[in-house]
Amino acid sequence: METVDQTFEEYPPFLRIHNDGTIERLVGTQTVPPSPLSDAGISSKDVVISPNVSARLYIPHSALSSTKKLPTLVYFHGGGFIIESPFSPHYHPYQDSLAAKAGVIIVSVNYRLAPEHRLPTSYDDSWEAIKWTVGLSDEWLRDHADLDRLFFAGDSAGGNIVHQMAMRTSPSEIRLRGVVLVHPFFWGPNLSDTEKEQIGFVDMVWRLVSPDVGIMQSHWVNWEAERATPLTKLGCQRVMLCVAELDFLNKKGKEYYEALKESGWEGMVELVETEGEDHVFHLFKPDCEKARVFMEQVASFLNQG
């Protein structure tokens, strides 16, 4: 009698791991193509950075026929390190709109995902994409990127990646102007009641991402962990830390903001809180008024100074 493959581990709502080791992602797998010219006036294309890393590039179409140099943003998507990509129906429209609103070049990074590729793979892939960007490895970058106005941004797990990349950045090598951390994934002790309600979910995700180190002890999500590098090493001049009022990660985001202010880091940090909204609301409700206001805030940050 033929044996039917049975799922032996489920991680709702993200994925199943079958008993033959096959990973079945339940969400975050849909893709949309790039556009030579979008309704917002943006050209986008996909590029291969290395055998393991790719990206989708965005540029205002009008810039292609000029010599104007533009601020350059390297963006890291969210999805708990286990789902999503720059090519998804959530991220592609957002990047297209942000490139148009801010007038910037965007390099939206497609890094490898857990559990097939556990941390620090996502960090290493993201760093590879940064080096590729500052190496001006594409004609759009060579002709139009202003690396004196270089920014990193990301949401959720991508916000965590932004922090890690800024900590790796040396101002003597990369002139990082600023970073935008949107609803970043940080964790650690002194949990609020709201955070305690999410312990099961967070632990489930973490077992997929980094099973060898407990989340409370991981310097990747807890900047106060024993191996963590002091926040004074953050390699940029400005930080925009964004939280949403109803997001269970709200408290940890605000704690990061306060810790950075008190660390002795010499840059400028601002806190942006969106009232009445939840985690990455701007991706799921891009046409709402608060998402519009939030995009204007991010665009303004990318064009300051």
Side-chain angles (χ1 to χ4, degrees), residues 11 24 27 61 97 104 122 149 155 158 160 207 267 272 299:
Y11 297 86
E24 178 188 2
V27 292
H61 185 76
S97 298
V104 299
S122 298
R149 292 183 290 168
D155 62 273
N160 176 284
R207 287 197 303 274
V272 173

Side-chain angles (χ1 to χ4, degrees), residues 32-204:
V32 295
S35 171
L37 178 58
S38 71
D39 292 342
I42 298 299
S43 295
S44 56
K45 66 178 179 180
D46 295 338
V47 298
V48 174
I49 292 174
S50 74
N52 297 317
V53 187
S54 60
R56 180 161 290 179
L57 271 57
Y58 300 81
I59 190 171
H61 185 76
S62 60
L64 292 174
S65 58
S66 76
T67 58
K68 184 178 180 180
K69 299 291 186 178
L70 302 176
T72 302
L73 171 65
V74 184
Y75 194 94
F76 308 99
H77 68 82
F81 301 103
I82 56 178
I83 61 169
E84 285 292 353
S85 76
F87 321 122
S88 82
H90 293 305
Y91 283 100
H92 175 73
Y94 175 73
Q95 305 292 4
D96 190 83
S97 298
L98 180 59
K101 174 64 69 173
V104 299
I105 297 173
I106 299 178
V107 179
S108 188
V109 180
N110 189 39
Y111 52 84
R112 285 174 291 176
L113 302 174
E116 300 95 323
H117 306 284
R118 291 167 169 156
L119 292 181
T121 299
S122 298
Y123 300 139
D124 294 339
D125 288 355
S126 297
W127 186 248
E128 186 174 6
I130 289 169
K131 299 293 284 185
W132 180 90
T133 300
V134 299
L136 301 176
S137 303
D138 180 86
E139 61 179 339
W140 286 4
L141 299 173
R142 287 193 295 272
D143 293 344
H144 303 289
D146 181 356
L147 294 184
D148 285 324
R149 292 183 290 168
L150 176 68
F151 296 85
F152 302 161
D155 62 273
S156 195
N160 176 284
I161 291 174
V162 168
H163 164 74
Q164 294 294 336
M165 297 303 97
M167 295 296 282
R168 288 193 188 192
T169 297
S170 168
S172 63
E173 297 178 357
I174 297 175
R175 301 182 300 276
L176 180 60
R177 178 71 64 89
V179 298
V180 183
L181 292 82
V182 180
H183 313 164
F185 175 39
F186 292 125
W187 205 246
N190 303 315
L191 299 178
S192 67
D193 289 342
T194 301
E195 290 166 335
K196 290 176 182 177
E197 293 173 358
Q198 300 295 330
I199 285 179
F201 174 77
V202 173
D203 284 346
M204 177 196 74

